Amino acid sequence: LKIYRQAVLQRAFEGKLTKNENRNMSLVRLEEVCDFITKGTTPAKKDLFQGSGDLPFIKVYNLTFRGHLDFAIDPTFVSRTTHNTVLARSKVLPGDVLMNIVGPPLGKVAIVPNRFPEWNINQAIARFRCKKVLFNKFLTHYLMSSTTVEKIKSKSKATAGQFNLTLEICRDIELLLPSLSDQHQIVAEIESRLSV
């Protein structure tokens, strides 16, 4: 299944899943098609609450290789005060795309769900907020593709077997961007194949 999944993603981003001879694609860097790409912050231990609290705090183990967030795993929360002060720069909103930047493994990606109006993330996660030209599900599948993961891994700093992606690497990720309607069509094709 893992291999099948990656084969589907590879075909999708090589333009082989959908037939459109006239597709116009432009090569862009993610910082051109996302609002400011940033990462989270980790507050002091005393500011983290297990099980319940004002606002949810996302850690790497809540991200998945399937593109969705699993907040059932050890849910952690922060107070509204911490969220608006210490963690002000790491707020995330429903629809934002999150990716882990510390591994192994790299390639854990999730779209922030709308169960809460605002969330927060730790320092091992980068946030991508898509502009109107980029469909967040298209970006999610692209970031989960092993081709993309290998490309960014080759640029990362590896120390003692650990990979660390800088925000610069995240902002510089290149993507062949088709039109928005083509992105929706490609995502529909990917999802119909993966649901089988």
Side-chain angles (χ1 to χ4, degrees):
L1 278 174
K2 243 184 209 172
I3 293 165
Y4 172 70
R5 190 179 180 76
Q6 285 305 327
V8 168
L9 293 178
Q10 188 172 351
R11 285 178 62 78
F13 296 109
E14 286 173 351
K16 292 177 183 167
L17 269 196
T18 53
K19 290 190 168 43
N20 183 345
E21 307 307 317
N22 309 315
R23 177 172 289 141
N24 286 322
M25 296 172 96
S26 49
L27 185 66
V28 295
R29 285 162 55 245
L30 286 190
E31 73 172 351
E32 298 171 60
V33 289
C34 292
D35 286 332
F36 188 65
I37 296 166
T38 187
K39 65 176 186 168
T41 313
T42 299
K45 235 184 177 108
K46 66 177 176 55
D47 295 326
L48 294 170
F49 306 98
Q50 300 306 313
S52 66
D54 296 339
L55 289 128
F57 184 73
I58 301 167
K59 298 176 178 179
V60 171
Y61 52 69
N62 300 127
L63 308 183
T64 66
F65 293 106
R66 294 298 189 86
H68 67 270
L69 190 78
D70 185 355
F71 199 63
I73 304 170
D74 194 12
T76 305
F77 291 80
V78 292
S79 71
R80 190 164 297 282
T81 307
T82 304
H83 177 72
N84 288 324
T85 54
V86 186
L87 300 179
R89 77 169 212 156
S90 37
K91 288 179 184 182
V92 295
L93 305 173
D96 285 350
V97 177
L98 307 178
M99 176 180 80
N100 70 313
I101 53 174
V102 177
L106 292 173
K108 295 183 85 177
V109 184
I111 293 178
V112 178
N114 58 8
R115 286 203 303 272
F116 292 86
E118 287 187 346
W119 302 64
N120 224 295
I121 53 174
N122 77 1
Q123 87 285 356
I125 299 173
R127 181 212 77 193
F128 302 86
R129 186 167 294 156
C130 300
K131 290 182 178 173
K132 286 188 175 130
V133 293
L134 180 59
F135 180 31
N136 63 355
K137 284 191 175 181
F138 183 80
L139 176 60
T140 299
H141 287 300
Y142 183 73
L143 293 174
M144 287 189 296
S145 147
S146 58
T147 312
T148 307
V149 173
E150 287 309 312
K151 241 183 246 174
I152 56 182
K153 201 193 276 184
S154 69
K155 295 177 181 175
S156 70
K157 296 188 182 84
T159 29
Q162 191 179 53
F163 295 101
N164 288 289
L165 300 178
T166 62
L167 285 174
E168 208 44 59
I169 292 171
C170 295
R171 292 170 188 149
D172 277 344
I173 295 171
E174 289 185 327
L175 166 71
L176 269 174
L177 189 70
S179 71
L180 207 47
S181 60
D182 280 345
Q183 291 174 49
H184 280 269
Q185 190 189 350
I186 290 165
V187 166
E189 288 292 335
I190 290 172
E191 292 184 347
S192 75
R193 281 166 170 74
L194 295 184
S195 67
V196 176

